[in-house]
Amino acid sequence: MDLTSLIYLTGASGFFTSRAFIPAFFTAVFLRYGEHFPWIGTMEFVQTTGAEPTWFTNNYTILALGVLSILEVGATKIPEAQEALDGVHKYAKTGLSALAAMGVLGSRDIAFAEGMISQAGVFEMVVSAVVGGAVFFFSTIRSGVMDLLAMSDPDDDLGIRGLISWFEDLWSSFGIFLLILYPFVILTVLAVVLGLLFAMRKWAEYKEEKSRIPCTSCGELVYACAVECPKCHTAVENPKDIGFFSQTVDRPAQPGKEQELRLVSKRRCAKCATRIEKRRLPQSCPVCEHSILSDRADQELYTAKVRNRLPKVLGVTFLLSLVPILGIIPGIIYYRIQLIAPFRAYIPASRGFVLRWVVRILFLLLISLQLIPGLGGFMVPIMALISYALYSGYFNKTLREGSSPA
């Protein structure tokens, strides 16, 4: 293995952190057909990579990777599918990166024949393992950041995860070719991006831990936004409020049950403020074992709290809907955050997926009617009412059924 291959594999590991199949697909295409691309076709590295197709640059392998890449792009645009992928995605990225590393090393070997394992030397196997390990490490960091966004905004109403997803698609696709043309520049960019992800995750963990305060009774560290200690259940004096991204903010909490309901709406335990990862009801807090919304009175208060927002939401969305085209996006984001997110946070992903697409198809007609003068002002409020009715109905059904599979 030469220095050029080592540089390429080091840089490519950064692209596998974002996607599993896209970098593998473009790497295989580059190895097989790179000499036909402008600018890079005359490079020595390209001309020595695969006059003879290998297992990795075989047309069937490229076709399979291409199909899987398209499916991967589609899946990452749907929050429910993305959540399902996150559990196994980093393992797929790790495996694909190691296989791609073997493919690069194998295509650089003139004597390469059948059987990748028997042909690859010990050093090549070590390099592949190192590349896979690096991808697993950085994928874990990325998952931590994306999990924080997913718990704060499960429906991606703000579009932050969608924007990141499109950027990662472009980055994984075209970054591979930039790596060939400007290897050291791309390596620097990768180092900066991965460093920022690492710093963001550590900063979030630091802020979360720094928000803890000692319990006045037993000394146990408790989140400042919690209502009581998870160990001795002593009430927290003057708890702090919780922000949009479910982080502790430096302002007084809302009084009484309001704080507990606000914690629940942000997918945190109503008592100790521990983050709740599962999307189902009923369920117990993994730390203090408090049962989330198990009490009928709490359920009624929670649904009433959301229902009381309807008049304000309908008024705001009516005013926004009067602005053709431009008023739709902020109007939809506003009513989803206010009316839908508190319910959807506890609707199982399987139901949420079906419900989301039913709502999307229904709203295609309503959005087209928004262009009609006078009538357009009622479109977003109608969308808000329909969404509220459907999601609140599913939420109440989940409560009635008791435990549902996540």
Side-chain angles (χ1 to χ4, degrees), residues 23 45 47 49 56 119 134 176 197 301 332 369 381 390 392:
F45 178 67
Q47 293 178 346
T49 55
F56 188 64
Q119 297 298 321
I176 293 290
L197 282 176
L301 283 173
I332 291 176
L369 295 177
L390 289 174
S392 62

Side-chain angles (χ1 to χ4, degrees), residues 317 319-332 370 380:
T317 53
L319 295 176
L320 290 172
S321 191
L322 290 174
V323 182
I325 306 299
L326 297 179
I328 293 179
I329 296 176
I332 291 176
Q370 201 258 351
V380 179

Side-chain angles (χ1 to χ4, degrees), residues 181-209:
L181 294 172
Y182 311 105
F184 293 104
V185 174
I186 295 301
L187 286 176
T188 303
V189 173
L190 282 170
V192 171
V193 171
L194 294 176
L196 286 174
L197 282 176
F198 183 78
M200 287 173 61
R201 181 175 179 179
K202 288 299 180 182
W203 176 253
E205 292 175 355
Y206 169 77
K207 292 291 289 183
E208 188 85 346
E209 291 302 314

Side-chain angles (χ1 to χ4, degrees), residues 7 15 21 26 29 44 48 64 100 115 133 188 201 274 332 341 364 400:
I7 292 174
F15 299 108
F21 298 104
F26 279 102
V29 169
E44 181 182 356
T48 57
T188 303
R201 181 175 179 179
T274 299
I332 291 176
L364 285 175
R400 289 195 300 269

Side-chain angles (χ1 to χ4, degrees), residues 21 24-25 28-29 32-33 55-71:
F21 298 104
F25 169 72
V29 169
R32 180 70 186 276
Y33 304 108
W55 65 272
F56 188 64
T57 57
N58 185 280
N59 287 335
Y60 292 107
T61 303
I62 293 175
L63 177 61
L65 288 174
V67 172
L68 291 171
S69 297
I70 294 173
L71 294 175

Side-chain angles (χ1 to χ4, degrees), residues 102-256:
M102 282 187 174
V104 172
L105 296 175
S107 64
R108 296 280 288 166
D109 183 3
I110 306 246
F112 185 89
E114 301 289 335
M116 60 178 177
I117 300 298
S118 61
Q119 297 298 321
V122 174
F123 184 65
E124 282 79 0
M125 294 288 289
V126 170
V127 171
S128 298
V130 170
V131 170
V135 170
F136 184 83
F137 175 72
F138 287 114
S139 293
T140 302
I141 294 174
R142 174 192 172 276
S143 296
V145 176
M146 297 302 290
D147 286 346
L148 181 62
L149 292 174
M151 284 191 289
S152 305
D153 186 13
D155 204 22
D156 195 27
D157 298 313
L158 296 180
I160 296 176
R161 283 189 291 155
L163 184 62
I164 293 175
S165 177
W166 283 111
F167 173 78
E168 288 182 333
D169 291 338
L170 295 173
W171 176 244
S172 301
S173 302
F174 298 105
I176 293 290
F177 295 97
L178 292 177
L179 176 63
I180 303 167
L181 294 172
Y182 311 105
F184 293 104
V185 174
I186 295 301
L187 286 176
T188 303
V189 173
L190 282 170
V192 171
V193 171
L194 294 176
L196 286 174
L197 282 176
F198 183 78
M200 287 173 61
R201 181 175 179 179
K202 288 299 180 182
W203 176 253
E205 292 175 355
Y206 169 77
K207 292 291 289 183
E208 188 85 346
E209 291 302 314
K210 194 171 179 60
S211 71
R212 291 177 178 263
I213 56 176
C215 173
T216 55
S217 178
C218 67
E220 178 79 7
L221 289 179
V222 183
Y223 291 114
C225 60
V227 175
E228 65 178 38
C229 172
K231 186 176 181 180
C232 67
H233 304 292
T234 300
V236 175
E237 297 180 3
N238 304 317
K240 300 290 185 180
D241 200 0
I242 186 171
F244 176 78
F245 290 106
S246 69
Q247 81 283 14
T248 303
V249 293
D250 192 19
R251 62 171 179 258
Q254 300 180 33

